[in-house]
C-alpha cells in the first residue's frame, strides 16, 4: 500500500470511528420510533432476530463464494457490506421491538446473544475462505470480538455492568468492517479486519482494567 492509499484509509477509518462515538448516544430516540413502526407489523422480536442472523449468514456465504463468481467477485465487498448493514439494522430493530411490545425475555436474550456470535463467526470465516483477508488476521479479529462479549458477560455474572464501555461493541465492529472494506485501496477488506481487531482489543483491555479496579 502506497502512502497516498494509506492516508485515505487512515482518514476514513478515523472519521468512521469518531462518527460512531458521536452518534451512539443520539440513536436511542430514533430507534424507538423505528421500533414502534416495526412493532406495528405484529411480527415478534424473535422474527427480526432470525432475519438478522439469516442476513449476516448470507453475507458470510457470499464472501466465501469468491472463487465461484469469476470476475464478478469485485462486487462481493459491496453486496456483503450492504447485507452487513441491513443485518445490523435488523439486529437493532429486534431489541427495540422487544422493549416496545414488552417481549423482553431470557429466551429472547439468549437467542439474540447466540445469534450474534454465530453471525460474526460466519462473516469472518467467509472473508477468510474467500481470500479477502489473511486467515490469521480473521482469526485474531474473531477471537478479540468474542473476548469483547465474554468480558461483558463475565462481568455481568459478577454483578458488574460493562455495557457500552469501549468503542468496539458488536454494532460498531460490524459497521466499521462494512464501511472500511469499501475504501478504494488495495486489500481494503483486510485493513477492515485489522481495524476491527484494533478497536476490539482496545475495548477488551479497557474492560479488563475497569473490572479489575471495581471487582474485589
Amino acid at each position: 500500500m502506497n502512502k497516498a492509499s494509506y492516508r485515505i484509509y487512515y482518514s476514513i477509518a478515523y472519521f468512521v470511528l469518531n462518527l460512531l462515538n458521536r452518534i451512539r448516544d443520539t440513536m436511542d430516540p430514533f430507534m424507538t420510533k423505528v421500533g414502534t413502526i416495526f412493532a406495528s407489523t405484529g411480527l415478534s422480536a424473535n422474527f427480526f432476530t432470525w432475519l438478522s442472523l439469516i442476513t449476516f449468514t448470507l453475507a458470510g456465504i457470499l464472501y466465501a463464494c469468491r472463487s465461484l463468481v469469476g470476475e464478478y467477485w469485485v462486487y462481493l465487498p459491496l453486496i456483503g457490506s450492504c447485507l452487513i448493514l441491513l443485518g445490523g439494522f435488523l439486529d437493532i430493530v429486534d431489541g427495540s421491538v422487544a422493549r416496545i411490545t414488552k417481549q423482553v425475555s431470557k429466551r429472547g436474550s439468549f437467542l439474540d446473544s447466540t445469534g450474534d456470535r454465530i453471525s460474526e463467526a460466519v462473516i469472518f470465516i467467509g472473508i477468510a475462505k474467500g481470500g479477502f483477508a489473511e486467515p490469521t488476521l480473521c482469526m485474531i479479529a474473531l477471537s478479540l470480538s468474542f473476548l469483547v462479549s465474554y468480558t461483558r458477560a463475565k462481568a455481568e455474572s459478577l454483578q458488574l455492568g460493562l455495557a457500552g464501555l469501549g468503542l468496539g461493541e458488536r454494532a460498531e465492529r460490524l459497521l466499521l468492517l462494512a464501511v472500511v472494506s469499501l475504501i478504494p485501496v488495495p486489500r481494503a477488506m483486510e485493513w477492515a479486519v485489522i481495524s476491527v481487531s484494533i478497536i476490539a482489543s482496545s475495548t477488551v483491555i479497557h474492560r479488563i482494567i475497569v473490572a479489575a479496579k471495581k471487582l474485589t
Side-chain angles (χ1 to χ4, degrees):
M1 179 182 291
N2 57 44
K3 291 183 178 180
S5 296
Y6 178 80
R7 283 196 294 268
I8 292 174
Y9 155 76
Y10 180 81
S11 298
I12 297 179
Y14 182 80
F15 171 78
V16 172
L17 286 172
N18 278 275
L19 180 63
L20 289 173
N21 197 32
R22 292 187 179 190
I23 67 175
R24 176 190 286 178
D25 296 332
T26 64
M27 286 296 291
D28 286 344
F30 171 73
M31 290 313 304
T32 297
K33 294 180 180 179
V34 172
T36 302
I37 295 173
F38 279 88
S40 66
T41 64
L43 298 172
S44 69
N46 285 342
F47 171 83
F48 293 107
T49 297
W50 286 109
L51 189 59
S52 173
L53 176 58
I54 291 171
T55 305
F56 283 128
T57 300
L58 286 175
I61 292 174
L62 280 176
Y63 289 139
C65 291
R66 175 176 177 174
S67 62
L68 302 179
V69 296
E71 61 184 9
Y72 298 105
W73 72 266
V74 295
Y75 298 106
L76 293 183
L78 174 60
I79 299 173
S81 291
C82 290
L83 287 172
I84 288 175
L85 293 175
L86 176 59
F89 174 74
L90 293 170
D91 190 41
I92 296 174
V93 166
D94 70 357
S96 298
V97 170
R99 288 189 295 272
I100 291 170
T101 59
K102 301 187 185 305
Q103 295 177 350
V104 178
S105 65
K106 292 181 179 179
R107 180 177 66 177
S109 177
F110 174 80
L111 291 175
D112 184 53
S113 181
T114 303
D116 289 349
R117 305 291 80 74
I118 293 173
S119 61
E120 282 193 284
V122 171
I123 288 172
F124 283 108
I125 290 172
I127 292 173
K129 175 64 177 176
F132 288 102
E134 288 293 330
T136 301
L137 293 176
C138 292
M139 290 171 61
I140 293 172
L142 182 58
S143 298
L144 289 169
S145 295
F146 280 2
L147 278 172
V148 171
S149 301
Y150 174 78
T151 51
R152 173 180 172 179
K154 182 60 179 178
E156 289 179 347
S157 72
L158 299 172
Q159 288 73 55
L160 174 63
L162 295 181
L165 186 64
L167 185 60
E169 292 199 317
R170 181 173 176 274
E172 286 82 355
R173 294 195 304 270
L174 291 178
L175 181 56
L176 186 66
L177 178 68
V179 174
V180 176
S181 65
L182 296 178
I183 299 175
V185 297
R187 298 192 69 79
M189 188 165 288
E190 187 164 282
W191 282 102
V193 171
I194 293 172
S195 299
V196 169
S197 296
I198 292 172
I199 66 168
S201 61
S202 66
T203 302
V204 170
I205 294 171
H206 188 185
R207 291 183 174 183
I208 291 174
I209 292 173
V210 171
K213 287 182 178 180
K214 293 186 176 181
L215 294 172
T216 58

